[in-house]
Amino acid sequence: MGKSKAKRFRRPPFSPAGDRKQPGGEAEGGEASPAAELLEKLQHPSADVREFACASISKLLQQKQTIPAFVQRDVVRCLGPMLLDQRLAVRETAAGALRNLSACGGFDVCDDMVTKDVMTPLVALLKECQAGLEENNDSVKETKDANKNYIEDIANEAVNLLWNVCECNSTAVSVFNREGCLTLVLQFLKRFRTNVDLAIAVASCLQAVTEDNPDLLSSFDASTHQVLEMVLVSSDKTMEHVLLRALVAGVLWNIKSTLPSGGQASTVNAILKTLSECLAVDAGEVVIRMKAEETERLKTLAEPGTEENGGGLGVNEDEEMEETPQKPVKGKADVSDLLPSSKQELKQVTALLLAQQTALEIIVNMCCNEEPSDDEWEELSSSDESDAFLDNSYEEGGKLMSPLCLSAEVHTALMNHLVPKKILEKTAFPSSAAVDICEHSPSWKPLIKKLNMVQYRALTCLHSILLVSDVDCLGGAPVLQSLAQHLSQLIFSQPEFSKQTEFLEAVTSALRALLQMMASNNIPQCTTPEQLMTLCEAGIQSDNIGVRVNVVSILGIAGSVLSKLEDTVETLKMIGKFLLEVATKDLSLVVAGEALDALFDVFADGKEAERAAEQIKLLPSLKEFQPVFRLRMRKEGKGQYSTDQLCVLDNVKLNLRRFIAYLGKLERKQ
């Protein structure tokens, strides 16, 4: 304990969707379930009836409360054959319905879908889409035909469904590997200039299936690398293409071990160049500009005699954008591909914000050198409870060593493309003008959460950069002191910062890593003890264990620095009392262990620390608490905490015994 641990991100959640043609008049989830009637209509001889049934099911499956009724009636086996229906429109709506089921139903539903063999018709559909596109060469052109391209639209729904089930189910990933789905989806990716939505779905799917999938890596050869690199270096300026390039950068990072050794450095450089360019875009400015463009376009459409794409149907500026159901993992689902053409500017902004979030998450992953299991990632994503990342990163004397996880190629590219500077810029609060615009437009209001999420990810990214960099690399002591002031301003400029859990966890993680670096290099800290106590008193009330661990560690770092200075007894007493209360009263053993570890750091050395420890009666308090801590570890340890956490807690228990002995010796000398 006492050291920050890097957090790694998995792919952002997949998006619920389905076809964009939604019939009206269907029964809502609160009425008698229409599931049986609609599923029966799938067998109707009329293709129009089958299409209507699939579309109705697709819409209903976006309502979570209706899903059990459909699952009980074997919706997967009913819709599966519809993926290969003779009518293309039926295929599209059926794929959209299954996509919604996979996105809104959760892990258990996805597992059930794979068990019910959704992969067999899905793979067959993907193969038919590929064959159909190869036969129809006219569809491959620089400007997309005005008429609906059913094959591409079917492929888009099918790839999104493939992404969803592969995200949740290892058997689906095995089928992806075995059936050569990589070759299929790469053919769709090649169409990125004429169908960027399809390309984004493919890139999202590839980023998911290339994580921790060594069996797939052998399928990547020079031709697949060429396709991915072609997309990465493309110059299309739309925000959807910015998102596409960020996703492809993530894919290339995942498969970097398959690249020729001689070309890895150039590919890493290209990846970070792409991510840097993505982060360089001012999202606030884009919000303001795109909203102005939308207003002007709607004004033009409203003029008499103006017709464009249906004469302004569905272009009400105050129309609510439907909230997207959540996937049972971290974060919100993206809905950019669901927005109608009347929301084209909103779609651009949404794509940019997802691109920047993705870019920051990729950089965080670049800074990680560990490969824990999926369960451990889930633990880290919510609480950052385990703290062993830098245990081996310090030489004698406390000097931070350069961790082995950051290769020379990555380090060089990060610096050459000014990535740390751009990450720091993204840690600022979103533009107030942009937020105000979103606040006053119901359909744009969901963007506020996305703007905030970019800031949270940037703070987490800053934390990771601090863990893998040294002082000189970051610009020296003045830069670190300025950064400490910046983080303090972020915290204390928000009157209710303690209620913003994601922000508080991200900013305290960054501040913790920064203060540790400054302390290890004897750099004066400009954050006052009073400010830190205010932060810690607010943070320790958080329900989030990660926040509580961070603030306790921050106070321990500050106290260890103060213990070496003169006239700090009163401040050390205040810190000691706070940490002792946390150690003895916090409900989490991890937080209690961190508080004990912080006490060891603060009162390990120095005359001021000795005087403060004596005045707060630290020794008798710890003696009284020692058997309680041991009992809690025996009762709560097994089953509630990971192996790594138990190992750390065992170490704390041992250090507690040694520290009590140390304080006893000091007492006897007096």
Side-chain angles (χ1 to χ4, degrees), residues 150 303 426 440 563 640 667:
Y150 265 113
E303 294 175 359
K426 294 300 176 188
H440 289 87
S563 67
Q640 292 190 36
E667 188 177 70

Side-chain angles (χ1 to χ4, degrees), residues 616-642:
I616 65 172
K617 302 186 185 312
L618 182 59
L619 177 58
S621 298
L622 291 178
K623 281 183 175 179
E624 182 181 353
F625 178 62
Q626 185 179 27
V628 177
F629 186 69
R630 288 174 176 169
L631 182 62
R632 284 191 64 186
M633 283 192 62
R634 282 197 298 270
K635 286 186 174 181
E636 303 172 30
K638 292 183 179 179
Q640 292 190 36
Y641 300 99
S642 70

Side-chain angles (χ1 to χ4, degrees), residues 366-667:
M366 286 179 164
C367 296
C368 292
N369 68 338
E370 297 176 297
E371 295 294 337
S373 66
D374 290 349
D375 290 340
E376 287 172 317
W377 283 138
E378 291 301 322
E379 290 169 11
L380 291 176
S381 70
S382 62
S383 65
D384 203 9
E385 293 174 1
S386 181
D387 298 277
F389 183 76
L390 288 184
D391 283 355
N392 296 316
S393 296
Y394 290 84
E395 290 182 306
E396 291 183 8
K399 295 297 182 182
L400 186 67
M401 298 176 65
S402 178
L404 298 177
C405 58
L406 201 61
S407 68
E409 292 85 355
V410 173
H411 180 272
T412 300
L414 280 170
M415 297 304 143
N416 287 347
H417 297 293
L418 305 178
V419 172
K421 177 177 180 291
K422 291 172 183 176
I423 292 169
L424 181 59
E425 290 169 354
K426 294 300 176 188
T427 64
F429 288 109
S431 158
S432 57
V435 171
D436 187 61
I437 285 173
C438 296
E439 282 280 7
H440 289 87
S441 176
S443 61
W444 287 59
K445 196 168 184 177
L447 291 181
I448 297 174
K449 288 184 179 179
K450 298 177 186 295
L451 285 163
N452 287 331
M453 186 57 66
V454 170
Q455 183 199 27
Y456 304 157
R457 291 294 185 260
L459 287 165
T460 302
C461 200
L462 175 61
H463 168 237
S464 297
I465 292 291
L466 287 167
L467 291 181
V468 297
S469 304
D470 57 31
V471 174
D472 293 337
C473 168
L474 294 173
V479 171
L480 296 186
Q481 291 174 319
S482 175
L483 180 55
Q485 290 179 333
H486 168 69
L487 294 179
S488 297
Q489 288 170 359
L490 287 180
I491 295 169
F492 296 110
S493 64
Q494 297 295 294
E496 296 188 335
F497 68 85
S498 62
K499 297 180 181 179
Q500 303 171 38
T501 301
E502 283 192 274
F503 165 75
L504 195 55
E505 182 177 12
V507 75
T508 54
S509 293
L511 184 60
R512 175 185 180 182
L514 175 62
L515 293 180
Q516 183 64 62
M517 175 180 279
M518 294 174 72
S520 300
N521 289 274
N522 298 317
I523 298 172
Q525 301 187 2
C526 43
T527 308
T528 67
E530 292 74 21
Q531 285 180 316
L532 292 179
M533 282 303 303
T534 300
L535 169 62
C536 294
E537 287 169 355
I540 206 64
Q541 305 300 320
S542 174
D543 292 334
N544 184 287
I545 292 177
V547 172
R548 304 207 303 275
V549 166
N550 284 338
V551 296
V552 165
S553 178
I554 285 169
L555 203 54
I557 295 166
S560 67
V561 172
L562 290 171
S563 67
K564 299 174 177 63
L565 305 178
E566 295 182 354
D567 299 323
T568 57
V569 170
E570 292 304 315
T571 304
L572 291 173
K573 285 167 60 179
M574 179 175 60
I575 291 173
K577 289 177 182 178
F578 180 89
L579 293 174
L580 197 55
E581 184 174 3
V582 173
T584 56
K585 295 183 179 180
D586 199 279
L587 296 178
S588 168
L589 266 178
V590 171
V591 180
E594 188 72 42
L596 287 171
D597 206 48
L599 281 168
F600 305 156
D601 289 341
V602 174
F603 295 98
D605 190 27
K607 294 296 181 182
E608 299 290 280
E610 290 179 22
R611 291 171 56 199
E614 182 181 3
Q615 292 179 29
I616 65 172
K617 302 186 185 312
L618 182 59
L619 177 58
S621 298
L622 291 178
K623 281 183 175 179
E624 182 181 353
F625 178 62
Q626 185 179 27
V628 177
F629 186 69
R630 288 174 176 169
L631 182 62
R632 284 191 64 186
M633 283 192 62
R634 282 197 298 270
K635 286 186 174 181
E636 303 172 30
K638 292 183 179 179
Q640 292 190 36
Y641 300 99
S642 70
T643 303
D644 285 347
Q645 289 168 340
L646 289 174
C647 181
V648 172
L649 287 168
D650 278 333
N651 196 43
V652 171
K653 182 175 69 174
L654 176 63
N655 287 338
L656 176 58
R657 179 172 61 82
R658 291 172 174 171
F659 189 66
I660 288 173
Y662 163 74
L663 291 179
K665 286 182 180 179
L666 291 179
E667 188 177 70

Side-chain angles (χ1 to χ4, degrees), residues 312-334:
L313 288 175
V315 294
N316 182 1
E317 187 175 356
D318 294 326
E319 174 186 311
E320 290 281 356
M321 185 170 75
E322 185 175 338
E323 283 291 332
T324 306
Q326 289 192 23
K327 181 189 172 185
V329 292
K330 311 172 288 294
K332 291 278 187 176
D334 175 55

